[in-house]
Amino acid sequence: MIVIKDELNSLPIKTYRWLNVNHLKLDERIEKDRKPFCKRFFEEMDDDNISIGSINNIVTINQHLSRINNEKQEYGVSGKMVDMAENFNNAGVYAYIKKGADIEKPIRIEYGMDRENDVVIDNNIIVASENSRATIVVDYCTLDDIDAFHNGAMKIYAKPGAAVTVIKIQRMNDNSNHFDSNIAVVEDGAEVNFIQVEFGSKRAVTNYISNLKDGGKSAIYSIYIGNRDRELDLSYYMNHIGRRSISNIEVKGALKDRAKKVFKGTIDFKLGSSKSEGREGESVIIFDKTVKSKAVPLLLCTEDDVKGEHAASSGKIDEDKLFYIMSRGFSKEEAMKLIVEASFNPVIDRIPLEDLRDIVRDELARKLIVEERI
Amino acid sequence: MIRSMVMENKFLLIRDLHVKVGDKEILRGLNLDINRGEVHVIMGPNGAGKSTLANVLMGNPKYEITKGEIVYEGKVLNDMKVDERAKLGIFMSFQYPEEIPGITVENFLRSAKMAIEDKPIKVMEFKKVLKEKMKLLEMKEEYAQRYLNEGFSGGEKKKSEILQLLILNPKLAILDETDSGLDVDAVKIVAKGVKEHKSEENSIIIITHHNNLLEYLNPDYVHFLVDGRIVKSGDISLIDIVEKEGFESFKN
């Protein structure tokens, strides 16, 4: 039995309680046990510049990690959820990229949950050495009509000058739960970019943190769809520690039926982060009046020589645009789907694998058109 | 009985059309008949209801028909949805085309063509047709891969509308001020595109207050639209009257 009695995705600074955005309070018992995940979930790489393996040899890895990083920091959707992922996992990948290596082929991790393997608790660690470059694609999906459970953690260490892109696609079915915690340590002149596609699950709670040192860069491009009674709680935190660090959070979504979404984006300019720049923006297309959409963009400054920008917008679909598209033969649903797809395309185009781009576009159409007709 | 036979044979019939936008009545009893293959020009002063007529024919929900009827190929259009009209072969070239960032011209047009014809169209086959039409309109090939109308100049947007016209090949094309704001060369190219579309099967309504475009096309009829009604109809010689006298004499 998995019991979640916790406050998830807490804001770094509390706001009025009546706003109801400080955290997501859960008290749930999920009728599942932690059991092994008996499927292959990553592709071996035929490349000497990278070593990749299952996370199970945790002792060696922890020794390895303690050499590269002594910092302890709380992260993730909550301390307990991260503890579950780090210490009671049944899956996960450890990847180490050698100095200066440029790994062109994306590292592909796929958790396809089925009847026998409906629980994924994964702990993933990516170490990108100095001036290396790599892309990691993780796909969480359900293959059977099951109620799956996923709780995962991913730590990314980008050493000076390294560049890492992480693409996370979540398209689990409407009966499933999804919790995901990510932290990137972005050292001097390194860059970590996240691309997040959040299309599935009854409940999706995700958390991304980037710690930026001198000249570090991090961007998050996220797209989400909320339909039916699904809930999303999305939290992002850009922690500017070093000078001249740059961050960007760009979130785009579409909400229909009775879906609920909370977006929390924080840009934190710590003392010493002078000449840093951070921007964040969330825009959501609202299909129905019955949705609930909340956005909490926060700018925290203990340094004054910085530039921060934030914006959140939500709106119904532009009637003139809808008329224009429909005048070319598209039904109202198709036209609305087209507008969402148009807004999501720049993010979908960042997925480096064609088959996954197609899957994401099909899923989008399914969520916005096909499920409409059921 | 005879009258209804006539009505069924007509391509487009507009009878006593009254249209409101918000609280304001714009069209006040407009009548117009159009046969297959004819080119009609509608001219009139600003605010007379020219764009309203275009929008109401296409089915813009902002415009409300309070009285009268639009009959197209024997079907009453009044309450028909916009996309259903498009599927029946009605097309409007917009005065201010919308920008759709994120969808390329090619993908948009191929999807639109498939929606209207309700059958799949092969990518390569479509590319070939698109390339031909773009060449005719002197559009650079790269425009096929650009996002629809995004960052297009005024002239490029109008060419993009005519490109859509040529690809979708509608039976009734309504060109709303397609020639306004265009330089002489662009007007020539647009006219070339419209000529290409003109046929015994295709009818065209040209809404304009210039005669730029008309020099290149031979309209069958010219109508003056003033204060929400057609006040005079005739052949192309009517244009000379407007040139000399304007519309003042037709106002109440």
Side-chain angles (χ1 to χ4, degrees), chain A residues 143-265:
Chain A
L143 305 171
D144 294 333
D145 187 18
I146 46 169
D147 48 333
F149 174 85
H150 165 244
N151 175 36
M154 180 176 263
K155 280 201 210 103
I156 298 143
Y157 297 96
K159 308 303 284 180
V164 180
T165 303
V166 176
I167 293 119
K168 289 206 149 182
I169 298 166
Q170 189 271 115
R171 49 191 182 96
M172 292 157 68
N173 67 25
D174 285 8
N175 304 319
S176 301
N177 277 284
H178 168 74
F179 303 91
D180 199 38
S181 306
N182 299 276
I183 184 165
V185 177
V186 188
E187 297 202 349
D188 298 355
E191 182 169 353
V192 174
N193 294 320
F194 289 105
I195 289 134
Q196 180 192 16
V197 178
E198 213 61 57
F199 279 8
S201 289
K202 171 175 71 184
R203 179 185 290 121
V205 185
T206 68
N207 190 298
Y208 289 78
I209 298 178
S210 288
N211 286 334
L212 299 157
K213 310 244 170 109
D214 282 1
K217 270 191 190 173
S218 184
I220 293 164
Y221 304 100
S222 175
I223 50 177
Y224 66 81
I225 295 175
N227 67 330
R228 296 186 173 172
D229 294 293
R230 296 177 37 231
E231 272 179 57
L232 296 121
D233 199 292
L234 315 170
S235 174
Y236 308 92
Y237 187 95
M238 289 294 188
N239 190 15
H240 290 263
I241 301 160
R243 284 163 52 85
R244 296 182 194 280
S245 50
I246 295 173
S247 72
N248 183 18
I249 303 171
E250 248 180 74
V251 179
K252 290 174 181 172
L255 290 175
K256 65 196 293 273
D257 308 327
R258 296 154 307 274
K260 288 181 192 159
K261 177 237 54 182
V262 180
F263 158 87
K264 300 163 196 170

Side-chain angles (χ1 to χ4, degrees), chain B residues 149-167:
Chain B
N149 298 332
E150 193 194 34
F152 285 24
S153 70
E156 286 163 347
K157 278 185 183 166
K158 295 297 172 74
K159 277 196 202 174
S160 153
E161 292 293 284
I162 299 303
L163 178 67
Q164 298 184 38
L165 167 79
L166 292 179
I167 293 290

Side-chain angles (χ1 to χ4, degrees), chain A residues 318-321 323-332 334 338-339 341-343 345-346 349, chain B residues 55 60 62 82-83 86-87 91-92 94 98-99 101-103 108 111-112 115-116 149 161 164:
Chain A
D318 182 337
E319 295 289 335
D320 292 330
K321 222 169 237 188
F323 172 54
Y324 184 69
I325 295 172
M326 286 175 73
S327 80
R328 302 311 188 229
F330 297 98
S331 70
K332 194 172 177 184
E334 287 165 338
L338 202 78
I339 292 172
E341 198 177 340
S343 132
N345 264 345
D349 285 337
Chain B
N55 275 279
N60 189 335
K62 281 187 186 163
V82 183
D83 55 312
K87 287 185 174 118
F91 175 93
M92 168 176 163
F94 281 56
E98 293 287 326
E99 298 192 359
I103 299 284
F108 180 77
S111 307
I116 283 177
N149 298 332
E161 292 293 284
Q164 298 184 38

Side-chain angles (χ1 to χ4, degrees), chain A residues 348-374:
Chain A
I348 297 174
D349 285 337
R350 288 175 183 272
I351 300 170
L353 298 159
E354 202 188 344
D355 63 320
L356 273 178
R357 280 197 298 273
D358 291 344
I359 285 173
V360 168
R361 289 207 173 93
D362 287 350
E363 191 69 18
L364 183 148
R366 213 171 61 81
K367 285 263 180 291
L368 298 182
I369 293 189
V370 182
E371 289 191 6
E372 174 97 347
R373 297 200 181 122
I374 294 170

Side-chain angles (χ1 to χ4, degrees), chain A residues 281-349:
Chain A
E282 195 233 14
S283 62
V284 52
I285 298 169
I286 307 277
F287 280 59
D288 301 295
K289 280 183 192 153
T290 42
V291 305
K292 286 206 172 100
S293 175
K294 289 178 183 174
V296 194
L298 279 181
L299 270 181
L300 306 175
C301 284
T302 33
E303 178 64 62
D304 51 18
D305 185 16
V306 294
K307 251 193 223 163
E309 259 178 60
H310 63 187
S313 70
S314 75
K316 286 187 63 181
I317 285 191
D318 182 337
E319 295 289 335
D320 292 330
K321 222 169 237 188
L322 205 56
F323 172 54
Y324 184 69
I325 295 172
M326 286 175 73
S327 80
R328 302 311 188 229
F330 297 98
S331 70
K332 194 172 177 184
E333 294 162 17
E334 287 165 338
M336 287 170 90
K337 183 218 117 189
L338 202 78
I339 292 172
V340 173
E341 198 177 340
S343 132
F344 286 8
N345 264 345
V347 178
I348 297 174
D349 285 337

